[in-house]
Amino acid sequence: MHNAYELIKEENLGDLNSKGYVLRHKKSGAHISLIENDDDNKVFYIAFRTPPKDSTGVAHIIEHTVLCGSDKYPLKDPFVELVKGSMNTFLNAMTYPDKTVYPVASCNDQDFKNLMDVYMDAVFHPNIYHDPEIFMQEGWHYELESREDDLTINGVVYNEMKGAFSSPDDVVNREILNSLFPDNTYSVESGGDPKVIPELTYEDFLGFHKKYYHPCNSYIYLYGNMDMDERLDYLDREYLSKYDKIEVDSEIKKQEPFTRPRAVDKTYPISSAEDERDATYLAYTFVISDALDQELYQAFDVLEYALFSSPGAPVRTALLEKGIGKDIIGSFDTGMLQPMFSVMARGANPEDKQAFVDAIQEVLLHQVVDGIDKKALLAGINASQFQFREADFGSFPKGLIFGLQCMDSWLYDEDQPFVHMHGIDVLDGLRKKVDTGYFEKLIETYLLANTHASVLMVEPKKGLTTEAEEELKKELAEYKASLSDEALDALVKQTKSLKEHQQEPSSKEALECLPMLKRSDLKREARPLDLIEKEVDGIKVLHHKVFSNGIHYLNLVFDVTGIGQEDWKYLSLLSRMLGLVDTENYSYADLANAVNIYTGGIGASLNVYDPAEGKTHFMCEVRAKFLYGEVENAIKLIEEIILHSDFSDENRIRELVAAQRSRLEMRMSSAGNVLAAGRAMSCFSVPALITDSISGIAYYQFVKDLDEHYEEKKDEIRSKCQELVKKVFTRDHLLVSSTGDDQALTQVETYLPGIAEHLFAGGKKEAAQEIRLTRKKEGFKDASQVQYVCRAGNFTKDGYEFNGALNILRVALSYDYFWINVRVKGGAYGCRSAFGMNGDTYFVSYRDPNLEKTNEIFAHTADYVRDFDVDERDMTKYIIGTISEMDTPLTPAQRGTRALSCYLRDVTFADLQRNRDQVLNATVEDIRALAPLVQATMDQDYFCVVGNEDTLTAAADMFDELYNLYE
């Protein structure tokens, strides 16, 4: 081990097939943990303990600003340049209530080293000390174009948090945290309260960085297959050795327990058209010991499933039976010193508050006296163990997730980063305690007898957003009136100066300081398709032969393209209810437990696949994942769910419909960009129309209507589900997708004939249907303080074809034209674009203070493309960034999903290689040549906005129709 470091401990991390080391840098005091293994997707982060004292968002603003240039890399936005031109598999920064984390990941050794160096220099030597415009741009600033204009406030973090404070679920989660920890750092909003952010001064902002961004307050993490000694030498030589250890008071202090639970009442904004009935949130939350208790960390995760979250969980069932809330959500939050165990009712009413508390306490007491359902506990344990073994975190590198879990203990004990890296062994120990009364004792001690708790009620209130905006306008007008002519002129000058600064590109010399790969470092070959076509018992089977660590990912794909348009929404309802209703041999509660005991999950979903040419494929997919040894149990459960579900329990169906509505509203409040893009494209695209009908605004409207008119609709719901089950789950419609090694294929060959024999008989072939598309410019009003602006079209309708260069253009737009104009100058939190191989295209902003300005920026995109002019280095950068996205490592399940998608979209390996070649060989002229395509697409002028009701009403002339989002 390098002599600049003290080895605190080394530890075998068997669950991760890794070796762990805990070090301390002798001179600077930096804390270091290493997880060494053979994973090529290497991860690094540097984190700091950053407890804020107020809600100015200083920790969050620093997270944004340190990535805006540094001593070694003096360009304006190295973060963006890295996104454009590195092979990163993860690149971001995150602010938590008590820490700030700067992680990167890459499979390329040199790229990984480059990313590490940019981030290390960013956190220790940022440009913020000599460039106050960075603080103004990312944090907040007054904006005044001329003396006559209204004074406004703008800033990326400021607008981001306006969006966050508009989401009721964000409001509730923040108030839960504040209610339980009134005397420590968790009592304030680390992200920033928009009302308080403007109180942050530039001097206090710099002071926070000076205090907390020192190596002795840092936590440095390295994971994967690399030369650890070389990386440690680099850290010491380039950064850590230049600092001496100092004392930094960043300790997270424990909240003293309450002598009695706290009751807190708050409000959240809704639009003028929304109903205040059935819209209150109730939450009962307990503080559970501390984050360093290895056993409780896993045990309460299991309890959360058994008590709150499983379909038949007793607390959930009791509350719904009493009519308290439309949906019940449990959580166990471990990302803080004192974890929180919470149950929340969405869609309740103020008068339910006491009954909510009484019902929970009554059920918990019964669980202690009568005992918790042992199958539910075993199901919760098995689900956690399966997830730990699988280590599939989607697009996130598993080394990153393990590293963030390390922070759950490391931040509070500098010698203990690996406390929670032994999950399988801990869960094995808990399995042995299921019959001992251990879990019942936890309820008694940490819930029933625990006074460190809060009961939170958050009621809806109309007009809150408008009141806040009017109050802000008044304050700004009064402030402006108090300013002298000289002060006004100074603000006008500052506004102009900031815009000029934002518009001015980094110098060529600064850009060339940033290390980057060469085109020759990029692989020429496209990623292979894991696809072997077979036929078993007359049924097409796609085998995706990959190593999957003993897990079989089985997907039964049923073609529902022939289902009539009038039934799309019911089909979505059906897919979401499968596995959540009684079956011939199981109650829905027992079914859920069986699924989690014997498998890693079984679920149905609808997906749309649209080839560049030919008809759209609309599929109902029943996915299961299980250990090879559990194949018989898994097959029996799949058949039970798709062939023997019972839709006759009216109360259960009512609960599921109400819960779906609640979950959709929760998602809609923070995903306006997805809603706007989907709705805009549904006016010209059949795949988008289907998607809107099964998961977008149209589907929400359908579910809302079912919920509000359930008594009239209940018979139709039952009959439609029964009818669709028999139409969908037939042998004629079946395609099988199987991911795993040869044993997975053998299991399909063994069990598929039996499955096929049990499926319903196919009916008559459905006739091709005519699908009508309706052109409308729509606006959907809500109570948020920001907008989500989308403009869309389809370039194939004007005779253009997809070209791989469009992938490069997407990167250039997202991190140049849109980044500068929509985010940097406009103040939106984000903006993205997409070009589909079928021609479907959209541009959309996220948490955007503007509407008309953003639409104009989108409309003039072709001008940017027409004038696109970069040198060879920048062109290479865009190509690297594009290839990076193409080459993101895939989990076994993702490899199977990719191959299935290519098969159903008629995309061959030759198509993938041609696309890649077009990227690798692209020139500036190839990008410019896309200008007519972009112009034609924008000229189609499909447009949708989700956002603030006053802003949309003021811009009513831009729309054909204005609606209230939740009506």
Side-chain angles (χ1 to χ4, degrees):
M1 195 61 65
H2 195 288
N3 60 14
Y5 301 86
E6 175 189 0
L7 176 64
I8 306 299
K9 66 157 61 169
E10 60 180 273
E11 194 168 331
N12 183 41
L13 306 177
D15 291 354
L16 311 186
N17 295 315
S18 305
K19 193 68 172 286
Y21 302 88
V22 183
L23 312 174
R24 186 174 297 112
H25 188 257
K26 295 174 183 176
K27 186 170 185 290
S28 69
H31 313 293
I32 295 102
S33 71
L34 315 176
I35 296 182
E36 196 170 35
N37 53 40
D38 61 1
D39 191 345
D40 289 329
N41 197 1
K42 296 170 282 293
V43 178
F44 157 82
Y45 68 60
I46 181 165
F48 299 89
R49 197 156 55 190
T50 51
K53 301 290 193 295
D54 55 40
S55 295
T56 58
V58 58
H60 188 188
I61 294 171
I62 284 177
E63 175 236 301
H64 277 239
T65 55
V66 298
L67 295 173
C68 293
S70 65
D71 287 358
K72 194 184 290 189
Y73 305 107
L75 59 160
K76 290 172 63 175
D77 213 331
F79 174 79
V80 171
E81 298 303 318
L82 289 173
V83 174
K84 289 181 193 173
S86 77
M87 292 295 292
N88 75 84
T89 57
F90 189 85
L91 184 76
N92 213 329
M94 297 93 86
T95 303
Y96 295 88
D98 55 11
K99 59 185 172 286
T100 310
V101 186
Y102 298 87
V104 301
S106 180
C107 294
N108 182 289
D109 288 344
Q110 187 57 51
D111 191 56
F112 181 69
K113 293 175 182 178
N114 295 345
L115 295 171
M116 276 185 68
D117 197 52
V118 173
Y119 265 46
M120 286 295 290
D121 204 60
V123 297
F124 289 124
H125 310 131
N127 281 349
I128 58 175
Y129 287 95
H130 50 77
D131 193 348
E133 286 90 354
I134 296 173
F135 167 70
M136 294 163 62
Q137 172 184 294
E138 297 296 317
W140 77 277
H141 63 274
Y142 289 120
E143 205 159 272
L144 189 66
E145 299 273 359
S146 70
R147 279 200 199 179
E148 293 72 33
D149 287 341
D150 290 336
L151 183 66
T152 59
I153 295 175
N154 205 349
V156 173
V157 169
Y158 177 74
N159 290 319
E160 176 189 350
M161 296 312 295
K162 285 178 75 174
F165 271 62
S166 301
S167 165
D169 288 273
D170 284 352
V171 171
V172 172
N173 290 332
R174 183 170 52 254
E175 295 296 349
I176 288 173
L177 190 65
N178 298 165
S179 70
L180 289 167
F181 305 102
D183 304 318
N184 66 12
T185 192
Y186 303 126
S187 66
V188 299
E189 174 51 58
S190 63
D193 181 337
K195 291 181 179 178
V196 184
I197 288 173
E199 295 176 11
L200 180 63
T201 66
Y202 181 54
E203 292 71 28
D204 288 343
F205 159 77
L206 294 180
F208 193 92
H209 183 271
K210 286 176 185 173
K211 178 175 181 179
Y212 293 117
Y213 281 62
H214 186 281
C216 68
N217 191 46
S218 71
Y219 299 80
I220 298 173
Y221 168 83
L222 287 165
Y223 165 96
N225 185 10
M226 71 187 82
D227 185 340
M228 292 292 186
D229 283 335
E230 183 276 330
R231 288 289 80 197
L232 289 171
D233 179 68
Y234 151 79
L235 288 169
D236 171 66
R237 183 181 68 253
E238 295 294 326
Y239 293 97
L240 301 182
S241 63
K242 296 174 172 54
Y243 294 85
D244 292 316
K245 184 178 181 180
I246 62 172
E247 290 299 321
V248 176
D249 181 14
S250 64
E251 181 187 1
I252 310 299
K253 295 183 170 53
K254 275 193 173 184
Q255 172 68 48
E256 287 297 315
F258 303 155
T259 56
R260 56 188 297 178
R262 294 187 73 202
V264 178
D265 296 347
K266 297 287 182 176
T267 57
Y268 75 92
I270 59 172
S271 69
S272 58
E274 291 177 70
D275 194 343
E276 293 173 331
R277 290 297 297 170
D278 297 335
T280 292
Y281 288 72
L282 298 171
Y284 197 0
T285 310
F286 306 85
V287 172
I288 308 297
S289 185
D290 66 54
L292 297 171
D293 192 310
Q294 188 180 49
E295 190 170 72
L296 289 183
Y297 186 92
Q298 299 293 345
F300 270 92
D301 200 45
V302 173
L303 266 183
E304 190 275 323
Y305 169 85
L307 295 176
F308 299 159
S309 293
S310 69
V315 172
R316 165 191 285 275
T317 301
L319 291 171
L320 292 176
E321 285 179 351
K322 293 177 183 293
I324 302 172
K326 301 285 189 180
D327 191 19
I328 309 301
I329 298 172
S331 64
F332 180 48
D333 190 342
T334 57
M336 59 192 62
L337 176 59
Q338 295 165 279
M340 302 184 304
F341 191 66
S342 184
V343 59
M344 178 173 70
R346 299 179 85 253
N349 290 292
E351 61 269 22
D352 297 331
K353 184 177 179 180
Q354 190 57 50
F356 171 73
V357 174
D358 292 344
I360 293 169
Q361 290 179 336
E362 181 181 343
V363 171
L364 293 178
L365 184 59
H366 278 306
Q367 297 300 300
V368 172
V369 174
D370 301 331
I372 306 169
D373 182 349
K374 303 300 184 284
K375 286 184 178 179
L377 291 172
L378 290 172
I381 290 169
N382 188 75
S384 293
Q385 283 192 319
F386 193 99
Q387 185 180 30
F388 217 99
R389 283 195 177 98
E390 183 184 29
D392 185 341
F393 305 105
S395 61
F396 298 102
K398 61 184 177 183
L400 170 66
I401 303 304
F402 295 148
L404 294 176
Q405 288 176 337
C406 284
M407 291 303 293
D408 284 355
S409 58
W410 197 15
L411 196 73
Y412 316 113
D413 185 333
E414 60 194 36
D415 296 338
Q416 298 291 342
F418 305 134
V419 169
H420 304 307
M421 295 295 103
H422 303 278
I424 293 176
D425 288 343
V426 174
L427 288 161
D428 278 339
L430 290 176
R431 189 185 298 274
K432 296 173 184 174
K433 295 185 175 184
V434 165
D435 293 315
T436 66
Y438 169 80
F439 285 96
E440 288 79 4
K441 186 66 176 175
L442 293 183
I443 294 175
E444 196 170 16
T445 303
Y446 291 101
L447 303 183
L448 289 173
N450 188 356
T451 54
H452 194 173
S454 73
V455 178
L456 173 70
M457 179 169 72
V458 184
E459 295 181 70
K461 185 177 179 182
K462 295 182 180 183
L464 267 185
T465 300
T466 302
E467 285 175 21
E469 290 294 332
E470 291 300 322
E471 183 181 344
L472 177 60
K473 283 181 183 177
K474 181 181 176 184
E475 289 176 0
L476 290 172
E478 291 174 351
Y479 175 65
K480 182 187 174 190
S482 72
L483 297 176
S484 65
D485 289 346
E486 291 78 10
L488 288 172
D489 288 339
L491 272 181
V492 172
K493 183 179 179 181
Q494 174 185 285
T495 302
K496 182 181 178 183
S497 174
L498 177 59
K499 290 188 181 299
E500 289 173 350
H501 170 82
Q502 292 169 332
Q503 191 67 36
E504 182 183 354
S506 296
S507 70
K508 188 171 186 292
E509 294 74 23
L511 287 167
E512 289 181 352
C513 290
L514 197 70
M516 60 178 279
L517 303 175
K518 302 182 292 292
R519 289 200 199 197
S520 58
D521 293 321
L522 306 177
K523 287 191 298 186
R524 299 292 309 184
E525 300 77 26
R527 194 198 315 257
L529 277 174
D530 303 296
L531 183 60
I532 302 170
E533 294 187 43
K534 297 274 188 178
E535 194 165 288
V536 176
D537 197 29
I539 295 169
K540 175 74 76 174
V541 173
L542 307 179
H543 180 219
H544 318 295
K545 186 177 178 179
V546 301
F547 174 73
S548 57
N549 201 25
I551 297 172
H552 188 171
Y553 297 93
L554 180 63
N555 186 2
L556 304 184
V557 185
F558 295 90
D559 191 338
V560 294
T561 308
I563 299 293
Q565 184 174 354
E566 69 279 3
D567 285 336
W568 289 349
K569 295 164 188 169
Y570 269 114
L571 189 58
S572 182
L573 181 72
L574 168 67
S575 71
R576 294 162 190 257
M577 291 199 298
L578 289 173
L580 299 175
V581 296
D582 293 344
T583 65
E584 186 176 309
N585 298 298
Y586 291 88
S587 69
Y588 67 84
D590 288 339
L591 178 66
N593 289 335
V595 166
N596 282 299
I597 287 172
Y598 297 115
T599 78
I602 300 173
S605 63
L606 300 179
N607 293 293
V608 185
Y609 301 91
D610 196 45
E613 298 177 6
K615 72 170 188 174
T616 297
H617 296 297
F618 184 21
M619 301 295 192
C620 178
E621 302 180 31
V622 181
R623 297 176 182 267
K625 54 185 177 181
F626 48 89
L627 299 175
Y628 289 134
E630 296 291 355
V631 59
E632 289 194 13
N633 287 317
I635 297 298
K636 287 177 183 177
L637 288 167
I638 292 170
E639 291 186 347
E640 187 75 23
I641 289 168
I642 65 175
L643 302 177
H644 303 293
S645 286
D646 180 357
F647 303 98
S648 62
D649 185 339
E650 295 177 3
N651 289 332
R652 178 59 179 162
I653 302 300
R654 181 196 293 272
E655 287 175 5
L656 291 174
V657 169
Q660 270 199 51
R661 176 182 176 182
S662 175
R663 299 280 169 109
L664 287 166
E665 289 173 349
M666 179 169 64
R667 170 180 165 270
M668 290 164 71
S669 69
S670 59
N673 55 324
V674 177
L675 298 177
R679 191 69 174 193
M681 291 193 296
S682 72
C683 296
F684 59 82
S685 165
V686 170
L689 180 67
I690 297 173
T691 301
D692 186 54
S693 298
I694 63 176
S695 62
I697 290 174
Y699 182 66
Y700 167 72
Q701 293 168 339
F702 165 75
V703 172
K704 180 175 181 288
D705 180 63
L706 292 185
D707 184 40
E708 292 178 349
H709 304 96
Y710 182 75
E711 284 302 317
E712 304 113 85
K713 301 276 188 178
K714 63 184 181 183
D715 292 337
E716 182 180 336
I717 294 173
R718 182 179 67 252
S719 63
K720 278 289 185 185
C721 287
Q722 292 169 340
E723 172 192 329
L724 287 170
V725 161
K726 292 178 180 178
K727 278 187 178 181
V728 172
F729 299 121
T730 72
R731 178 192 178 104
D732 295 343
H733 291 149
L734 178 60
L735 165 75
V736 176
S737 171
S738 169
T739 301
D741 58 24
D742 288 335
Q743 190 172 350
L745 179 59
T746 300
Q747 291 186 341
V748 171
E749 292 171 337
T750 303
Y751 290 95
L752 181 55
I755 296 173
E757 183 182 347
H758 297 149
L759 293 173
F760 296 106
K764 63 179 181 179
K765 193 75 173 177
E766 295 88 351
Q769 55 184 314
E770 181 184 351
I771 298 173
R772 295 185 178 179
L773 299 168
T774 304
R775 182 187 183 90
K776 278 196 295 187
K777 294 181 180 179
E778 296 177 304
F780 292 89
K781 301 182 290 184
D782 65 12
S784 71
Q785 301 174 57
V786 289
Q787 282 66 245
Y788 304 86
V789 182
C790 180
R791 194 161 172 137
N794 182 292
F795 54 78
T796 64
K797 296 184 186 302
D798 286 297
Y800 296 97
E801 294 183 355
F802 181 85
N803 184 291
L806 285 166
N807 293 315
I808 301 174
L809 178 58
R810 179 176 53 78
V811 174
L813 292 176
S814 296
Y815 295 104
D816 187 20
Y817 178 65
F818 291 158
W819 184 273
I820 291 170
N821 290 287
V822 178
R823 187 186 192 277
V824 173
K825 293 166 68 175
Y829 180 52
C831 190
R832 65 165 297 170
S833 59
F835 298 93
M837 294 182 76
N838 66 349
D840 287 355
T841 298
Y842 68 82
F843 305 152
V844 66
S845 64
Y846 184 78
R847 290 183 176 171
D848 188 350
N850 302 305
L851 196 168
E852 294 94 334
K853 286 181 182 178
T854 300
N855 183 46
E856 280 299 305
I857 291 165
F858 290 162
H860 289 96
T861 303
D863 295 338
Y864 165 80
V865 181
R866 199 174 291 113
D867 298 333
F868 186 78
D869 186 22
V870 298
D871 61 20
E872 174 58 23
R873 189 177 193 276
D874 279 344
M875 191 66 198
T876 298
K877 192 184 300 177
Y878 284 126
I879 289 169
I880 292 170
T882 304
I883 292 294
S884 173
E885 293 187 6
M886 292 180 169
D887 289 353
T888 299
L890 301 178
T891 65
Q894 289 172 327
R895 288 170 67 176
T897 299
R898 171 180 179 259
L900 172 65
S901 175
C902 286
Y903 177 83
L904 291 173
R905 292 186 297 117
D906 297 329
V907 174
T908 65
F909 177 78
D911 295 325
L912 297 173
Q913 187 62 58
R914 183 173 57 254
N915 186 7
R916 189 180 186 90
D917 290 342
Q918 289 169 342
V919 171
L920 288 169
N921 300 327
T923 65
V924 170
E925 289 72 26
D926 292 326
I927 304 301
R928 288 180 190 151
L930 298 172
L933 177 153
V934 174
Q935 187 69 64
T937 306
M938 289 298 97
D939 286 348
Q940 292 172 16
D941 199 22
Y942 291 97
F943 181 61
C944 182
V945 180
V946 174
N948 177 265
E949 59 179 327
D950 294 335
T951 302
L952 268 65
T953 300
D957 290 347
M958 297 179 68
F959 303 98
D960 296 323
E961 300 283 351
L962 274 180
Y963 305 96
N964 294 299
L965 180 59
Y966 296 105
E967 273 196 340

